[in-house]
């Protein structure tokens, strides 16, 4: 819960500022801005997910499963740091970057394309349901695009729980997983992830968009990423295809 607060702040802050630097509100720029946001937030996301995984799995593979090795998430990271240093705290960083960079690119691209096509103007009486739908579908698209990488990341971060290390590298994890469970291993847990992704991302995107609309005023949002001076044709085009962010 604590980590998600900062992660969402980083993601939407970096994405918004990157869009300002790129200057034009286009689907491709939305993808690039989202990818930049995903890469930067990985620095916080990786240790957070490592602590969550270790907390959820502590006691697994031990005779006395009731024994609590970690008191809380912070204690978990401190103990890992004392044992393994920064390398241990950042276990799974490469796979996190591989997952988050394109994943958030697809996330913002899908949301941008959907809101442009279904229309999410501030004066639309169905604006909130449309925002919820676009946000939920963007979350699903993001997870579908990178879920196999998430499976490998989770296995690498859980490796070593119970005192046994199974994988020596990312390639070794992929090789062993496919050999033991087949290629369907990359879809393990996908259904529950997608069921969670829709409501979570629907609420996230709708909340952020509504806060930005009311904070900036109805007319400020679509103009945010436009250059200081635009031609009459560009203004007409931007008004006909508004982006909710």
């Amino acid at each position: 819960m604590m980590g998600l607060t900062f992660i969402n702040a980083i993601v939407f802050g970096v994405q918004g500022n990157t869009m300002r630097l790129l200057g034009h509100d286009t689907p491709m720029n939305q993808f690039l801005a989202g990818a930049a946001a995903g890469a930067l937030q990985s620095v916080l996301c990786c240790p957070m997910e490592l602590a969550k995984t270790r907390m959820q799995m502590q006691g697994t593979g031990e005779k006395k499963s009731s024994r609590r090795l970690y008191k809380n998430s912070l204690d978990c990271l401190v103990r890992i740091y004392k044992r393994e240093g920064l390398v241990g705290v950042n276990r799974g960083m490469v796979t996190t970057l591989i997952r988050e960079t394109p994943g958030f690119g697809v996330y913002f691209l899908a949301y941008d394309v959907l809101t442009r096509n279904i229309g999410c103007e501030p004066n639309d009486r169905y604006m909130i349901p449309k925002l919820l739908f676009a946000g939920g579908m963007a979350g699903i698209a993001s997870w579908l695009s990178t879920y196999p990488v998430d499976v490998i990341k989770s296995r690498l971060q859980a490796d070593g729980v119970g005192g046994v290390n199974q994988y020596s590298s990312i390639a070794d994890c992929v090789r062993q997983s496919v050999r033991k469970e087949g290629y369907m291993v990359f879809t393990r847990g996908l259904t529950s992830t997608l069921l969670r992704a829709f409501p979570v991302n629907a609420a996230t995107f709708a909340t952020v968009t509504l806060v930005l609309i009311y904070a900036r005023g109805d007319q400020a949002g679509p103009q945010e990423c436009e250059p200081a001076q635009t031609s009459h044709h560009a203004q007409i085009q931007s008004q006909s295809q508004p982006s909710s962010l």
Side-chain angles (χ1 to χ4, degrees), residues 45-110:
C45 176
C46 181
M48 182 200 76
E49 293 195 350
L50 174 66
K52 179 177 71 70
T53 300
R54 293 296 177 89
M55 287 288 292
Q56 289 176 336
M57 296 192 66
Q58 64 176 333
T60 302
E62 299 176 1
K63 292 183 179 180
K64 295 181 179 180
S65 60
S66 60
R67 184 169 67 91
R68 292 176 60 87
L69 180 61
Y70 311 118
K71 297 177 181 177
N72 50 52
S73 298
L74 181 60
D75 179 61
C76 176
L77 290 175
V78 170
R79 287 175 179 269
I80 292 173
Y81 176 77
K82 288 180 178 178
R83 253 190 346 260
E84 305 174 47
L86 285 175
V87 175
V89 172
N90 291 291
R91 179 185 293 272
M93 180 63 76
V94 174
T95 46
T96 301
L97 282 168
I98 295 173
R99 182 193 70 179
E100 300 293 80
T101 303
F104 273 96
V106 172
Y107 188 50
F108 283 97
L109 172 63

Side-chain angles (χ1 to χ4, degrees), residues 12 107-108 111 131 134-135 138 200-210 245:
F12 285 94
Y107 188 50
F108 283 97
Y111 183 74
L131 291 176
V200 168
N201 292 289
T204 300
F205 257 124
T207 301
V208 170
T209 303
L210 289 172
L245 281 177

